[in-house]
Amino acid sequence: MTATLTDVLELERSAQELLFHEARTANTFADEPVSDEQLRAIYDLVKWAPTSMNIQPLRVSLVRSAEARARLLPHMSEGNRGKTGTAPVVAILSADSDFHEHLHRTFPHVPNAKDRFPDAGKRAEMARFNALLQVGYFILGVRAAGLSAGPMTGFDAAGVREEFFADGTQEPLVIVNIGKPGPDAWFPRLPRLEFDEAVEVL
Amino acid sequence: MTATLTDVLELERSAQELLFHEARTANTFADEPVSDEQLRAIYDLVKWAPTSMNIQPLRVSLVRSAEARARLLPHMSEGNRGKTGTAPVVAILSADSDFHEHLHRTFPHVPNAKDRFPDAGKRAEMARFNALLQVGYFILGVRAAGLSAGPMTGFDAAGVREEFFADGTQEPLVIVNIGKPGPDAWFPRLPRLEFDEAVEVL
């Protein structure tokens, strides 16, 4: 992997490795705890990355207790249940369509910004769009803490929503196992599209 | 901003600053070119971040020529037209629902993976979901190159689609101005939600 590390970027090579080149999606986890301090530091880092109108719709539900994990596991697809059962922490990442309730503080230069969002369906769409950008930031934030992320979409979203967000304003998007990688944590790295396959210059 | 820099993370403080704390959404750009080498290095970094089944649906159309810019500008919202007209490079980030055509190379351990995606509507949904994660990675990749990103959703998506992707498999999601920041490039930083507002521990 180190062949593609580059000095063209301003980001140090060690950081390129930590976040992108050497980081991998973990499928097994070591029996090593993740601290509350690490989880707080991840949030305090990634919260600064941008969203439209600073709406910040991402919500993070950290599954720590045995009781919460027992509520989650039945909703995971079979292939994900084992690793989700053993990861030190599991984060349910969701989009909150009630983001507009915070705009008087988070977008204060536009008075009554909240009133621009009367339509719950449009709020849900905007929340989902921006929360997905934040899921991307969050995955890299986990890696910034020296931990492996195992993001999954293989779960019953309706079931998770009913179990954890029955009040209705949060839509679960991605569930992420978090911890130090265990033995045989990953498969060989899969190929990426070449520059010319994914990028065009106009 | 430096008050929240932390040694709890493994990522160096200088990298925390470059990617998150000091990076800002730029609204003006310096008259300083962005090189092809920088753009290639950004892609070669962010391509490694994960997507579901390694589908990699993000496509990047780099608007470089005066002719391409003239095709784009009429579709930008009025408030975005000025900065999009002067940014050294503008990237149209889109989701390609024909991602399944690459799976024989990018997900080779599942034979005929392509055949799991016969439904164009479901492909478009999955492409959009994963490309939005990749938009998050891309914005941080621009910052990794020491450049400012100016991501925008204020444009006529149907118009951009018709103008640039008339064949129909790419859906534009976000347009990003890229360059070194110019004078008065940003407003004062907007507040972020506190940890306890965005994160719950279960």
Side-chain angles (χ1 to χ4, degrees):
Chain A
M1 287 306 129
T2 50
T4 55
L5 282 174
T6 175
D7 292 327
V8 173
L9 298 174
E10 194 164 315
L11 188 70
E12 296 90 331
R13 283 168 166 254
S14 56
Q16 294 177 40
E17 288 176 339
L18 180 71
L19 299 181
F20 293 97
H21 292 282
E22 294 187 353
R24 297 293 312 279
T25 292
N27 293 305
T28 71
F29 292 91
D31 185 19
E32 197 178 315
V34 172
S35 71
D36 290 341
E37 211 183 5
Q38 285 175 304
L39 295 164
R40 189 172 282 269
I42 291 167
Y43 177 73
D44 281 339
L45 183 74
V46 301
K47 72 181 181 187
W48 293 114
T51 53
S52 306
M53 282 185 70
N54 197 32
I55 65 169
Q56 309 172 64
L58 182 73
R59 299 293 175 268
V60 181
S61 303
L62 295 170
V63 175
R64 275 268 201 213
S65 67
E67 180 261 339
R69 200 180 298 247
R71 289 166 60 203
L72 176 61
L73 287 182
H75 303 290
M76 302 305 297
S77 69
E78 215 175 295
N80 288 332
R81 207 167 288 150
K83 50 194 174 186
T84 302
T86 54
V89 180
V90 182
I92 304 170
L93 303 184
S94 60
D96 188 355
S97 57
D98 266 6
F99 62 81
H100 63 320
E101 298 291 349
H102 299 286
L103 291 176
H104 62 283
R105 282 188 300 127
T106 56
F107 212 64
H109 51 292
V110 173
N112 307 316
K114 176 185 168 177
D115 299 341
R116 296 190 180 190
F117 299 98
D119 181 325
K122 283 185 186 163
R123 283 205 309 276
E125 174 57 29
M126 190 171 169
R128 182 185 170 83
F129 188 103
N130 280 276
L132 285 168
L133 305 187
Q134 291 185 286
V135 171
Y137 306 146
F138 185 87
I139 290 169
L140 297 181
V142 169
R143 294 169 165 196
L147 299 167
S148 284
M152 300 169 291
T153 51
F155 60 89
D156 172 11
V160 171
R161 186 168 192 160
E162 178 61 27
E163 178 66 41
F164 291 92
F165 312 117
D167 70 353
T169 72
Q170 282 172 253
E171 179 198 359
L173 298 172
V174 177
I175 295 179
V176 185
N177 295 322
I178 300 173
K180 287 278 186 191
D184 301 317
W186 37 69
F187 307 108
R189 188 139 214 172
L190 292 169
R192 296 305 194 264
L193 297 179
E194 300 295 330
F195 181 85
D196 293 332
E197 293 177 298
V199 185
E200 61 174 348
V201 181
L202 300 173
Chain B
M1 289 303 132
T2 50
T4 55
L5 282 176
T6 174
D7 292 327
V8 173
L9 298 175
E10 195 164 314
L11 189 70
E12 296 90 332
R13 284 168 167 254
S14 56
Q16 293 178 40
E17 288 175 339
L18 180 70
L19 299 181
F20 293 98
H21 293 282
E22 294 187 353
R24 298 293 312 281
T25 292
N27 293 303
T28 71
F29 292 91
D31 186 17
E32 197 178 314
V34 172
S35 71
D36 290 341
E37 211 183 5
Q38 285 175 304
L39 295 164
R40 187 172 284 267
I42 292 167
Y43 177 74
D44 281 339
L45 183 74
V46 301
K47 71 180 182 188
W48 292 114
T51 53
S52 307
M53 283 184 70
N54 198 33
I55 65 170
Q56 309 173 62
L58 182 72
R59 300 293 176 267
V60 182
S61 303
L62 296 170
V63 175
R64 275 267 200 215
S65 67
E67 180 262 338
R69 200 179 299 245
R71 289 166 58 203
L72 176 62
L73 288 181
H75 303 289
M76 302 306 297
S77 69
E78 213 174 296
N80 287 331
R81 206 167 289 150
K83 49 194 176 188
T84 302
T86 55
V89 180
V90 181
I92 304 170
L93 303 183
S94 60
D96 188 355
S97 58
D98 266 5
F99 62 80
H100 63 321
E101 299 291 351
H102 298 287
L103 291 177
H104 63 284
R105 282 188 300 127
T106 56
F107 212 62
H109 52 293
V110 173
N112 307 315
K114 175 184 167 178
D115 300 341
R116 296 189 179 190
F117 299 98
D119 181 324
K122 284 185 187 162
R123 283 204 311 275
E125 174 56 30
M126 190 171 169
R128 183 185 169 84
F129 189 103
N130 280 276
L132 285 168
L133 306 187
Q134 291 185 287
V135 171
Y137 307 145
F138 184 88
I139 290 169
L140 297 181
V142 169
R143 293 169 165 196
L147 298 167
S148 285
M152 302 168 291
T153 51
F155 59 89
D156 171 11
V160 171
R161 185 169 192 160
E162 178 61 27
E163 179 66 40
F164 290 92
F165 312 117
D167 71 353
T169 71
Q170 282 171 254
E171 179 198 358
L173 299 172
V174 177
I175 295 179
V176 185
N177 295 322
I178 300 173
K180 288 279 185 189
D184 302 317
W186 36 70
F187 307 109
R189 187 139 214 172
L190 292 170
R192 296 304 195 265
L193 297 179
E194 300 296 330
F195 180 85
D196 294 332
E197 293 177 299
V199 184
E200 61 174 348
V201 182
L202 301 174

